[in-house]
Amino acid sequence: MRRPLVAGNWKMHGTRASVAELINGLRQQVLPADVEIAVFPCSLHIAEVFGGLVGTGVTVGAQDCAVDPEQGALTGEVAASQLQDVGCALVLVGHSERRLLLGETDAEVVRKFAAVQSCGLTPLLCVGETLAQREAGKTLDVVGAQLASVVEALGIEAFIRAVVAYEPVWAIGSGLTASPEQAQQVHAAIRAQLAAQSAEVACAVRILYGGSVKAANAAELFGMPDIDGGLVGGASLNADEFGAICRAAGS
Ligand code: 13P
């Protein structure tokens, strides 16, 4: 059985004061023991969040990393090895905001995915289509190509220790959530694509849904057979709401 994972992507939000408040709020939540929970603060706050959540079982991740795993002369970047050093266990790679707004390519996503794994951390690969691509009937082609670029470069074994997140771009921060059926269709296609190379890897890999997940719609989404949890943006900035989403993923 796949253990559900609920991940909170805090994006470029937070001050020292608001982060301290959020840590405090999370510490007060009753969190389900059968769900893995992770939060992804901005790099500035990772060490503080890691320290603040010690003993809660909540894992801390990073939102991005450099394409090279080791430290070096690369102004402004953060290496996966540095993230490992401050307590990160997971790193998001290929978030649509980075692909679309910052021009991150599939080739860079592949290098970041590999860099994360080479430091012993787990990559959380984000894939998803825009509204125009969905309306053109290209959802499965787009998502399939994003996934294929990693599988072809690094092999199916790379997914033994990785997580995939399906995040339709049109559902992110828009209040528009994919219906459970729409999401399930894409999740099943992602798993089938991996199963074509290894049924065992496909069966074990967790595929999260992201895009306007909130406490009110989480249980319905997480009830679908191929949805193994959520990647939560806006709602993860509210400890009570995030706690409720985590509980919705529990049995
Ligand atoms: P929202 O939950 O705010 O739609 O963001 C989703 C997301 O992009 C998480 O990575």
Short mmCIF file of all heavy atoms in Angstrom, two decimals, residues 94 99 106 109-110 113 124-128 139-156 158-159 162-166 186-197 201-202 205-207:
data_model
loop_
_atom_site.label_atom_id
_atom_site.label_comp_id
_atom_site.label_asym_id
_atom_site.label_seq_id
_atom_site.Cartn_x
_atom_site.Cartn_y
_atom_site.Cartn_z
N GLY A 94 10.59 21.16 -11.13
CA GLY A 94 9.71 21.38 -12.28
C GLY A 94 8.35 21.95 -11.95
O GLY A 94 7.38 21.72 -12.70
N ARG A 99 8.61 26.50 -14.57
CA ARG A 99 8.64 26.17 -16.00
C ARG A 99 8.11 27.34 -16.83
O ARG A 99 8.70 27.73 -17.83
CB ARG A 99 7.76 24.94 -16.29
CG ARG A 99 8.27 23.61 -15.72
CD ARG A 99 7.26 22.52 -16.10
NE ARG A 99 7.47 21.25 -15.46
CZ ARG A 99 8.13 20.20 -15.99
NH1 ARG A 99 8.70 20.31 -17.17
NH2 ARG A 99 8.22 19.06 -15.34
N ASP A 106 12.70 21.17 -19.71
CA ASP A 106 12.69 19.76 -19.32
C ASP A 106 14.12 19.30 -19.01
O ASP A 106 14.34 18.53 -18.08
CB ASP A 106 12.13 18.90 -20.47
CG ASP A 106 10.60 18.89 -20.49
OD1 ASP A 106 9.97 19.23 -19.48
OD2 ASP A 106 10.05 18.55 -21.56
N VAL A 109 15.04 20.39 -15.62
CA VAL A 109 14.28 19.61 -14.64
C VAL A 109 14.94 18.25 -14.43
O VAL A 109 15.10 17.78 -13.30
CB VAL A 109 12.80 19.45 -15.10
CG1 VAL A 109 12.05 18.47 -14.21
CG2 VAL A 109 12.10 20.81 -15.10
N VAL A 110 15.38 17.63 -15.52
CA VAL A 110 16.06 16.33 -15.43
C VAL A 110 17.33 16.46 -14.58
O VAL A 110 17.59 15.64 -13.69
CB VAL A 110 16.41 15.80 -16.84
CG1 VAL A 110 17.41 14.64 -16.75
CG2 VAL A 110 15.16 15.37 -17.58
N PHE A 113 16.42 16.91 -10.91
CA PHE A 113 15.92 15.63 -10.38
C PHE A 113 17.12 14.74 -10.02
O PHE A 113 17.18 14.16 -8.92
CB PHE A 113 15.05 14.97 -11.47
CG PHE A 113 14.27 13.76 -11.06
CD1 PHE A 113 12.89 13.82 -10.91
CD2 PHE A 113 14.89 12.53 -10.88
CE1 PHE A 113 12.15 12.69 -10.57
CE2 PHE A 113 14.16 11.39 -10.53
CZ PHE A 113 12.78 11.48 -10.38
N LEU A 124 10.41 15.61 -5.92
CA LEU A 124 8.95 15.60 -6.12
C LEU A 124 8.73 16.31 -7.45
O LEU A 124 8.82 17.54 -7.54
CB LEU A 124 8.30 16.33 -4.93
CG LEU A 124 6.84 16.02 -4.62
CD1 LEU A 124 6.49 16.46 -3.22
CD2 LEU A 124 5.91 16.61 -5.63
N LEU A 125 8.54 15.52 -8.48
CA LEU A 125 8.46 16.03 -9.86
C LEU A 125 7.06 16.55 -10.16
O LEU A 125 6.08 15.79 -10.08
CB LEU A 125 8.81 14.90 -10.84
CG LEU A 125 8.60 15.21 -12.32
CD1 LEU A 125 9.63 16.23 -12.81
CD2 LEU A 125 8.68 13.93 -13.16
N CYS A 126 6.96 17.83 -10.54
CA CYS A 126 5.66 18.42 -10.86
C CYS A 126 5.44 18.41 -12.37
O CYS A 126 6.33 18.81 -13.13
CB CYS A 126 5.59 19.85 -10.35
SG CYS A 126 5.90 20.02 -8.59
N VAL A 127 4.25 18.00 -12.76
CA VAL A 127 3.85 18.02 -14.17
C VAL A 127 2.44 18.58 -14.27
O VAL A 127 1.69 18.56 -13.29
CB VAL A 127 3.90 16.58 -14.79
CG1 VAL A 127 5.32 16.04 -14.81
CG2 VAL A 127 2.98 15.62 -14.03
N GLY A 128 2.08 19.08 -15.43
CA GLY A 128 0.72 19.60 -15.58
C GLY A 128 0.56 20.44 -16.83
O GLY A 128 1.53 21.01 -17.33
N THR A 139 -3.87 17.33 -22.90
CA THR A 139 -3.45 17.11 -21.50
C THR A 139 -2.51 15.91 -21.36
O THR A 139 -1.41 16.03 -20.81
CB THR A 139 -4.68 16.93 -20.60
OG1 THR A 139 -5.44 18.13 -20.64
CG2 THR A 139 -4.29 16.63 -19.16
N LEU A 140 -2.95 14.76 -21.87
CA LEU A 140 -2.14 13.55 -21.64
C LEU A 140 -0.82 13.59 -22.43
O LEU A 140 0.19 13.07 -21.96
CB LEU A 140 -2.95 12.29 -21.97
CG LEU A 140 -4.20 12.09 -21.10
CD1 LEU A 140 -4.90 10.76 -21.43
CD2 LEU A 140 -3.89 12.13 -19.60
N ASP A 141 -0.83 14.27 -23.58
CA ASP A 141 0.42 14.41 -24.35
C ASP A 141 1.43 15.26 -23.58
O ASP A 141 2.61 14.94 -23.50
CB ASP A 141 0.16 15.11 -25.70
CG ASP A 141 -0.68 14.25 -26.62
OD1 ASP A 141 -0.78 13.04 -26.35
OD2 ASP A 141 -1.24 14.80 -27.58
N VAL A 142 0.94 16.38 -23.04
CA VAL A 142 1.84 17.32 -22.35
C VAL A 142 2.41 16.68 -21.09
O VAL A 142 3.63 16.68 -20.85
CB VAL A 142 1.07 18.62 -21.99
CG1 VAL A 142 1.88 19.50 -21.06
CG2 VAL A 142 0.70 19.38 -23.27
N VAL A 143 1.53 16.13 -20.28
CA VAL A 143 1.97 15.50 -19.03
C VAL A 143 2.87 14.31 -19.34
O VAL A 143 3.92 14.10 -18.70
CB VAL A 143 0.73 15.09 -18.19
CG1 VAL A 143 1.12 14.22 -17.02
CG2 VAL A 143 0.00 16.34 -17.71
N GLY A 144 2.49 13.54 -20.35
CA GLY A 144 3.27 12.36 -20.75
C GLY A 144 4.67 12.75 -21.20
O GLY A 144 5.66 12.08 -20.86
N ALA A 145 4.79 13.85 -21.91
CA ALA A 145 6.11 14.29 -22.40
C ALA A 145 6.97 14.80 -21.23
O ALA A 145 8.18 14.54 -21.19
CB ALA A 145 5.93 15.38 -23.45
N GLN A 146 6.36 15.51 -20.29
CA GLN A 146 7.12 16.00 -19.12
C GLN A 146 7.67 14.81 -18.32
O GLN A 146 8.83 14.81 -17.89
CB GLN A 146 6.24 16.88 -18.24
CG GLN A 146 5.90 18.22 -18.88
CD GLN A 146 4.82 19.00 -18.14
OE1 GLN A 146 4.05 18.43 -17.36
NE2 GLN A 146 4.74 20.29 -18.39
N LEU A 147 6.84 13.80 -18.16
CA LEU A 147 7.27 12.60 -17.42
C LEU A 147 8.32 11.83 -18.22
O LEU A 147 9.34 11.40 -17.67
CB LEU A 147 6.03 11.72 -17.18
CG LEU A 147 6.20 10.49 -16.31
CD1 LEU A 147 6.57 10.88 -14.88
CD2 LEU A 147 4.90 9.67 -16.29
N ALA A 148 8.08 11.69 -19.51
CA ALA A 148 8.99 10.91 -20.36
C ALA A 148 10.38 11.50 -20.37
O ALA A 148 11.38 10.76 -20.44
CB ALA A 148 8.43 10.82 -21.78
N SER A 149 10.50 12.82 -20.30
CA SER A 149 11.84 13.41 -20.36
C SER A 149 12.69 12.92 -19.19
O SER A 149 13.89 12.66 -19.35
CB SER A 149 11.77 14.94 -20.42
OG SER A 149 11.26 15.44 -19.22
N VAL A 150 12.09 12.73 -18.05
CA VAL A 150 12.85 12.24 -16.88
C VAL A 150 13.09 10.73 -17.00
O VAL A 150 14.20 10.23 -16.78
CB VAL A 150 12.13 12.58 -15.56
CG1 VAL A 150 12.93 12.07 -14.36
CG2 VAL A 150 11.91 14.08 -15.44
N VAL A 151 12.04 9.99 -17.38
CA VAL A 151 12.19 8.52 -17.48
C VAL A 151 13.25 8.17 -18.53
O VAL A 151 14.11 7.31 -18.30
CB VAL A 151 10.84 7.85 -17.86
CG1 VAL A 151 11.02 6.33 -17.98
CG2 VAL A 151 9.77 8.16 -16.83
N GLU A 152 13.21 8.86 -19.66
CA GLU A 152 14.17 8.53 -20.73
C GLU A 152 15.60 8.89 -20.34
O GLU A 152 16.54 8.17 -20.66
CB GLU A 152 13.77 9.24 -22.04
CG GLU A 152 12.62 8.51 -22.72
CD GLU A 152 11.91 9.35 -23.78
OE1 GLU A 152 12.48 10.36 -24.24
OE2 GLU A 152 10.76 8.99 -24.11
N ALA A 153 15.76 9.99 -19.62
CA ALA A 153 17.13 10.41 -19.26
C ALA A 153 17.70 9.60 -18.10
O ALA A 153 18.89 9.29 -18.09
CB ALA A 153 17.13 11.90 -18.90
N LEU A 154 16.85 9.27 -17.13
CA LEU A 154 17.39 8.70 -15.88
C LEU A 154 16.95 7.26 -15.64
O LEU A 154 17.45 6.60 -14.73
CB LEU A 154 16.96 9.57 -14.68
CG LEU A 154 17.36 11.06 -14.78
CD1 LEU A 154 16.83 11.84 -13.58
CD2 LEU A 154 18.88 11.21 -14.88
N GLY A 155 16.03 6.76 -16.46
CA GLY A 155 15.58 5.37 -16.30
C GLY A 155 14.45 5.26 -15.31
O GLY A 155 14.26 6.12 -14.44
N ILE A 156 13.72 4.17 -15.44
CA ILE A 156 12.55 3.96 -14.56
C ILE A 156 12.98 3.78 -13.10
O ILE A 156 12.24 4.13 -12.17
CB ILE A 156 11.71 2.73 -15.06
CG1 ILE A 156 10.39 2.62 -14.30
CG2 ILE A 156 12.48 1.44 -14.97
CD1 ILE A 156 9.38 3.68 -14.58
N ALA A 158 14.82 5.52 -11.45
CA ALA A 158 14.86 6.82 -10.78
C ALA A 158 13.55 7.08 -10.02
O ALA A 158 13.51 7.92 -9.11
CB ALA A 158 15.08 7.94 -11.80
N PHE A 159 12.50 6.35 -10.39
CA PHE A 159 11.21 6.58 -9.73
C PHE A 159 10.99 5.66 -8.52
O PHE A 159 9.95 5.71 -7.89
CB PHE A 159 10.06 6.46 -10.75
CG PHE A 159 10.02 7.68 -11.64
CD1 PHE A 159 10.87 7.78 -12.73
CD2 PHE A 159 9.21 8.76 -11.33
CE1 PHE A 159 10.90 8.92 -13.52
CE2 PHE A 159 9.23 9.90 -12.10
CZ PHE A 159 10.07 9.98 -13.21
N ALA A 162 11.10 8.58 -5.68
CA ALA A 162 10.64 9.87 -6.20
C ALA A 162 9.13 9.94 -6.00
O ALA A 162 8.48 8.92 -5.78
CB ALA A 162 10.97 10.00 -7.68
N VAL A 163 8.62 11.15 -6.06
CA VAL A 163 7.18 11.37 -5.98
C VAL A 163 6.81 12.20 -7.20
O VAL A 163 7.62 13.02 -7.66
CB VAL A 163 6.82 12.15 -4.68
CG1 VAL A 163 5.34 12.45 -4.58
CG2 VAL A 163 7.29 11.38 -3.44
N VAL A 164 5.62 11.98 -7.74
CA VAL A 164 5.14 12.77 -8.87
C VAL A 164 3.95 13.60 -8.38
O VAL A 164 3.16 13.13 -7.56
CB VAL A 164 4.70 11.86 -10.05
CG1 VAL A 164 4.17 12.69 -11.22
CG2 VAL A 164 5.85 10.96 -10.50
N ALA A 165 3.85 14.84 -8.84
CA ALA A 165 2.67 15.65 -8.52
C ALA A 165 2.05 16.12 -9.82
O ALA A 165 2.72 16.74 -10.66
CB ALA A 165 3.05 16.85 -7.66
N TYR A 166 0.77 15.81 -10.00
CA TYR A 166 0.02 16.33 -11.14
C TYR A 166 -0.65 17.62 -10.70
O TYR A 166 -1.51 17.61 -9.81
CB TYR A 166 -1.02 15.32 -11.63
CG TYR A 166 -2.00 15.94 -12.61
CD1 TYR A 166 -1.53 16.57 -13.77
CD2 TYR A 166 -3.37 15.94 -12.38
CE1 TYR A 166 -2.41 17.18 -14.66
CE2 TYR A 166 -4.26 16.53 -13.26
CZ TYR A 166 -3.76 17.15 -14.40
OH TYR A 166 -4.63 17.77 -15.27
N VAL A 186 -5.85 11.57 -15.25
CA VAL A 186 -4.44 11.89 -15.53
C VAL A 186 -3.52 11.06 -14.63
O VAL A 186 -2.49 10.55 -15.09
CB VAL A 186 -4.18 13.41 -15.36
CG1 VAL A 186 -2.73 13.74 -15.67
CG2 VAL A 186 -5.12 14.21 -16.24
N HIS A 187 -3.90 10.91 -13.37
CA HIS A 187 -3.08 10.10 -12.46
C HIS A 187 -2.95 8.66 -12.98
O HIS A 187 -1.86 8.07 -12.94
CB HIS A 187 -3.69 10.08 -11.06
CG HIS A 187 -3.44 11.33 -10.28
ND1 HIS A 187 -2.91 11.34 -9.01
CD2 HIS A 187 -3.62 12.63 -10.61
CE1 HIS A 187 -2.79 12.60 -8.59
NE2 HIS A 187 -3.23 13.39 -9.54
N ALA A 188 -4.06 8.11 -13.48
CA ALA A 188 -4.02 6.73 -13.99
C ALA A 188 -3.12 6.66 -15.23
O ALA A 188 -2.37 5.69 -15.41
CB ALA A 188 -5.43 6.26 -14.33
N ALA A 189 -3.15 7.71 -16.05
CA ALA A 189 -2.30 7.72 -17.25
C ALA A 189 -0.82 7.81 -16.86
O ALA A 189 0.04 7.15 -17.48
CB ALA A 189 -2.69 8.90 -18.14
N ILE A 190 -0.51 8.60 -15.84
CA ILE A 190 0.88 8.70 -15.36
C ILE A 190 1.35 7.33 -14.86
O ILE A 190 2.43 6.85 -15.22
CB ILE A 190 0.99 9.76 -14.23
CG1 ILE A 190 0.77 11.16 -14.80
CG2 ILE A 190 2.34 9.65 -13.50
CD1 ILE A 190 0.61 12.25 -13.74
N ARG A 191 0.50 6.68 -14.08
CA ARG A 191 0.90 5.37 -13.53
C ARG A 191 1.04 4.35 -14.66
O ARG A 191 1.98 3.53 -14.65
CB ARG A 191 -0.12 4.91 -12.47
CG ARG A 191 0.51 3.91 -11.49
CD ARG A 191 -0.45 3.47 -10.38
NE ARG A 191 -0.96 4.51 -9.52
CZ ARG A 191 -0.27 5.13 -8.56
NH1 ARG A 191 0.99 4.80 -8.35
NH2 ARG A 191 -0.83 6.07 -7.82
N ALA A 192 0.16 4.41 -15.65
CA ALA A 192 0.24 3.45 -16.77
C ALA A 192 1.52 3.66 -17.56
O ALA A 192 2.16 2.70 -18.02
CB ALA A 192 -0.99 3.61 -17.66
N GLN A 193 1.90 4.93 -17.73
CA GLN A 193 3.14 5.24 -18.48
C GLN A 193 4.35 4.65 -17.75
O GLN A 193 5.25 4.09 -18.37
CB GLN A 193 3.27 6.76 -18.61
CG GLN A 193 4.40 7.20 -19.51
CD GLN A 193 4.38 8.72 -19.73
OE1 GLN A 193 3.36 9.37 -19.53
NE2 GLN A 193 5.50 9.27 -20.14
N LEU A 194 4.37 4.76 -16.43
CA LEU A 194 5.47 4.17 -15.65
C LEU A 194 5.38 2.64 -15.66
O LEU A 194 6.41 1.95 -15.75
CB LEU A 194 5.44 4.71 -14.21
CG LEU A 194 5.67 6.22 -14.05
CD1 LEU A 194 5.44 6.64 -12.60
CD2 LEU A 194 7.08 6.62 -14.50
N ALA A 195 4.15 2.12 -15.63
CA ALA A 195 3.96 0.66 -15.61
C ALA A 195 4.44 0.01 -16.89
O ALA A 195 4.83 -1.16 -16.89
CB ALA A 195 2.49 0.33 -15.36
N ALA A 196 4.44 0.76 -17.98
CA ALA A 196 4.92 0.20 -19.24
C ALA A 196 6.39 -0.18 -19.13
O ALA A 196 6.89 -1.02 -19.87
CB ALA A 196 4.69 1.21 -20.37
N GLN A 197 7.10 0.44 -18.19
CA GLN A 197 8.53 0.12 -17.98
C GLN A 197 8.72 -0.79 -16.77
O GLN A 197 9.62 -1.61 -16.76
CB GLN A 197 9.31 1.41 -17.74
CG GLN A 197 9.05 2.49 -18.75
CD GLN A 197 10.24 2.74 -19.63
OE1 GLN A 197 11.34 2.30 -19.36
NE2 GLN A 197 10.02 3.45 -20.71
N VAL A 201 7.50 -0.54 -9.99
CA VAL A 201 7.79 0.87 -9.68
C VAL A 201 6.50 1.68 -9.76
O VAL A 201 6.21 2.50 -8.88
CB VAL A 201 8.88 1.43 -10.64
CG1 VAL A 201 9.04 2.93 -10.44
CG2 VAL A 201 10.20 0.71 -10.41
N ALA A 202 5.71 1.45 -10.80
CA ALA A 202 4.47 2.21 -11.00
C ALA A 202 3.51 2.02 -9.85
O ALA A 202 2.83 2.96 -9.41
CB ALA A 202 3.81 1.80 -12.31
N VAL A 205 4.93 4.07 -6.69
CA VAL A 205 5.20 5.51 -6.70
C VAL A 205 3.94 6.29 -6.28
O VAL A 205 2.81 5.95 -6.66
CB VAL A 205 5.70 5.98 -8.09
CG1 VAL A 205 4.59 6.02 -9.13
CG2 VAL A 205 6.37 7.33 -8.00
N ARG A 206 4.17 7.33 -5.48
CA ARG A 206 3.04 8.16 -5.05
C ARG A 206 2.84 9.29 -6.04
O ARG A 206 3.79 9.95 -6.44
CB ARG A 206 3.27 8.68 -3.64
CG ARG A 206 3.15 7.54 -2.62
CD ARG A 206 3.47 7.99 -1.24
NE ARG A 206 4.85 8.39 -1.12
CZ ARG A 206 5.42 8.78 0.02
NH1 ARG A 206 4.69 8.83 1.12
NH2 ARG A 206 6.67 9.13 0.07
N ILE A 207 1.58 9.50 -6.41
CA ILE A 207 1.21 10.57 -7.34
C ILE A 207 0.25 11.50 -6.61
O ILE A 207 -0.86 11.10 -6.23
CB ILE A 207 0.57 10.01 -8.63
CG1 ILE A 207 1.46 8.91 -9.25
CG2 ILE A 207 0.32 11.14 -9.63
CD1 ILE A 207 0.85 8.20 -10.45
#
